[in-house]
C-alpha cells in the first residue's frame, strides 16, 4: 500500500471544503494558518472572514493600528500571534511583495517551519512538507515510530519522514491531506480505524498501539496562579489598565486586582470565586469582585477611567470577558 497515494485519494473524497482552500493568495492562506493554530475551524472561520473583510490585502493589515488588530483578534487568545501577524504584515509591506519561497517566508516575524511550509506549498506549490501535531500523530501511528515528538531527535525524524512521503507533484494537496486526515480520521482520542483506508498496513492498529503513539518525553509543566479582579464602578466609569510586556496578555486591558486597591475585601461584592482558566503554561484561578463607589479610589497611574459603555472598544483577555459575563449575570 502506498501511503502517499492513499492519503491523496482519501483527501479527494473527504477533504474539508474551506474558503481559504479556494485561493492561492498567500496572504489569505497565511491568515488562515495563523488563526487556526490552537483554534477550532468552526471558530476560526468567522475570524478569518472578518479579517479578510476588514483588511483584504496585506498592506491594509500593515496600515492598521496594533489596537485594531488586537481588537479584531479578541476571543482567539494567544495574542502574541496577533502581534506577530501585524509585525510581519509591516515587514511584507516594506518588502513590497509577499515572499515567494519557504526560505524567505520563514524570515517573517512569528512564522515558524510549519506555517512557512504551509504557505510555500499551498500558495506556490513548493515541495516542502508540513509537520504539526496531526502529522506527528499520523506518521507515528502508521509507521510505528516511538521517538518522542518533543525531542530534537524526534523532530528531525518526523520532519525527514514527512518530507520523504511528500508528493512532489502535489505538495499542496498532500500537506492538506495529511493535516485533514489527522484532524478527521486519525484523531487523538478515538481514531476512526474501521473506516480508515490505511488500516491493513497501519502499525499502531495492527499492534494495538494506537493509544501509545505518538510519544512524548515530558509533560508541559503548568504554573498555577491566583488573581483577584475588581470591577470598580464609580459614576458609570470603570478603571482599566493595559498590561505590559514580559507576562501573559501583553498589550491587552484588564481590571484592577485587589492589591491595586486599598479597600477591605469585605466592602467588595463577590461575583464569582475560583473561576478556573487554563492557558498553555499556566492555570489561573480567579476571584471576581464588584466595587460600587461614589468616590474614585486612588489607583496607580497606569490605570485609566473610561465610560462603562466604552469597554467594547478595548481588547480584553478571555478571562476579563468571563468576568463581564459574571457581572451581567449578577445584574
Ligand atoms: S488505522 Fe487508525 S490509527 Fe491507523 S492511520 Fe488509520 S485511523 Fe490512524
Amino acid at each position: 500500500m502506498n501511503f502517499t497515494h492513499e492519503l491523496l485519494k482519501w483527501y479527494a473524497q473527504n477533504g474539508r471544503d474551506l474558503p481559504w482552500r479556494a485561493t492561492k493568495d498567500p496572504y489569505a492562506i497565511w491568515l488562515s494558518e495563523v488563526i487556526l493554530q490552537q483554534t477550532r475551524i468552526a471558530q476560526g472561520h468567522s475570524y478569518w472572514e472578518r479579517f479578510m473583510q476588514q483588511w483584504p490585502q496585506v498592506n491594509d493589515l500593515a496600515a492598521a493600528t496594533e489596537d485594531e488588530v488586537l481588537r479584531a483578534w479578541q476571543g482567539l487568545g494567544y495574542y502574541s500571534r496577533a502581534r506577530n501577524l501585524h509585525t510581519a504584515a509591516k515587514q511584507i509591506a516594506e518588502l513590497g511583495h509577499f515572499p515567494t519561497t519557504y526560505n524567505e517566508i520563514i524570515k517573517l516575524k512569528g512564522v515558524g517551519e510549519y506555517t512557512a511550509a504551509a504557505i510555500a506549498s499551498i500558495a506556490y506549490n513548493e515541495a516542502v512538507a508540513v509537520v504539526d501535531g496531526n502529522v506527528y500523530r499520523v506518521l507515528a501511528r502508521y509507521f510505528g515510530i516511538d521517538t518522542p515528538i518533543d525531542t530534537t531527535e524526534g523532530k528531525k525524524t518526523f520532519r525527514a519522514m514527512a518530507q520523504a512521503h511528500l508528493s512532489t507533484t502535489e505538495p499542496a494537496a498532500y500537506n492538506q491531506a495529511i493535516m485533514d486526515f489527522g484532524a478527521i480520521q486519525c484523531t487523538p482520542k478515538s481514531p476512526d480505524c474501521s473506516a480508515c483506508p490505511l488500516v491493513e498496513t497501519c502499525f499502531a492498529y495492527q499492534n494495538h498501539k494506537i493509544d501509545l503513539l505518538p510519544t512524548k518525553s515530558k509533560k508541559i509543566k503548568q504554573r498555577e496562579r491566583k488573581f483577584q479582579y475588581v470591577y470598580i464602578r464609580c459614576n458609570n466609569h470603570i478603571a482599566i489598565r493595559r498590561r505590559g510586556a514580559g507576562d501573559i496578555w501583553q498589550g491587552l486591558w484588564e481590571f484592577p486586582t485587589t492589591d491595586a486597591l486599598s479597600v477591605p475585601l469585605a466592602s467588595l461584592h463577590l461575583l464569582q470565586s475560583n473561576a478556573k482558566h487554563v492557558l498553555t503554561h499556566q492555570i489561573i484561578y480567579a476571584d471576581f469582585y464588584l466595587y460600587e463607589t461614589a468616590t474614585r479610589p486612588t489607583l496607580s497611574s497606569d490605570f485609566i477611567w473610561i465610560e462603562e459603555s466604552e469597554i467594547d472598544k478595548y481588547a480584553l483577555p478571555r478571562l476579563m470577558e468571563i468576568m463581564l459575563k459574571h457581572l451581567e449575570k449578577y445584574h
Side-chain angles (χ1 to χ4, degrees), residues 3 7 137-139 141-143 181-182 184-187 190-206 209-211 213:
F3 175 77
L7 216 54
R137 187 169 58 257
V138 173
L139 294 177
R141 285 180 178 163
Y142 183 76
F143 292 102
F181 187 80
I184 300 170
Q185 188 87 36
C186 194
T187 53
S190 37
D192 190 3
C193 301
S194 58
C196 176
L198 300 171
V199 67
E200 278 168 31
T201 42
C202 172
F203 176 92
Y205 183 83
Q206 299 299 337
K209 291 216 162 141
I210 292 164
D211 294 342
L213 291 169

Side-chain angles (χ1 to χ4, degrees), residues 151-166:
T151 58
T152 316
E153 195 200 341
K155 289 195 170 91
K156 235 170 95 183
T157 306
F158 284 99
R159 193 174 317 128
M161 285 193 75
Q163 192 64 32
H165 293 284
L166 175 76

Side-chain angles (χ1 to χ4, degrees), residues 107-138:
K107 288 186 193 145
L108 296 172
K109 176 89 175 164
V111 172
E113 290 172 358
Y114 163 79
T115 311
I119 301 169
S121 63
I122 300 169
Y124 303 111
N125 239 19
E126 187 174 335
V128 47
V130 293
V131 185
D132 73 344
N134 287 319
V135 177
Y136 282 135
R137 187 169 58 257
V138 173

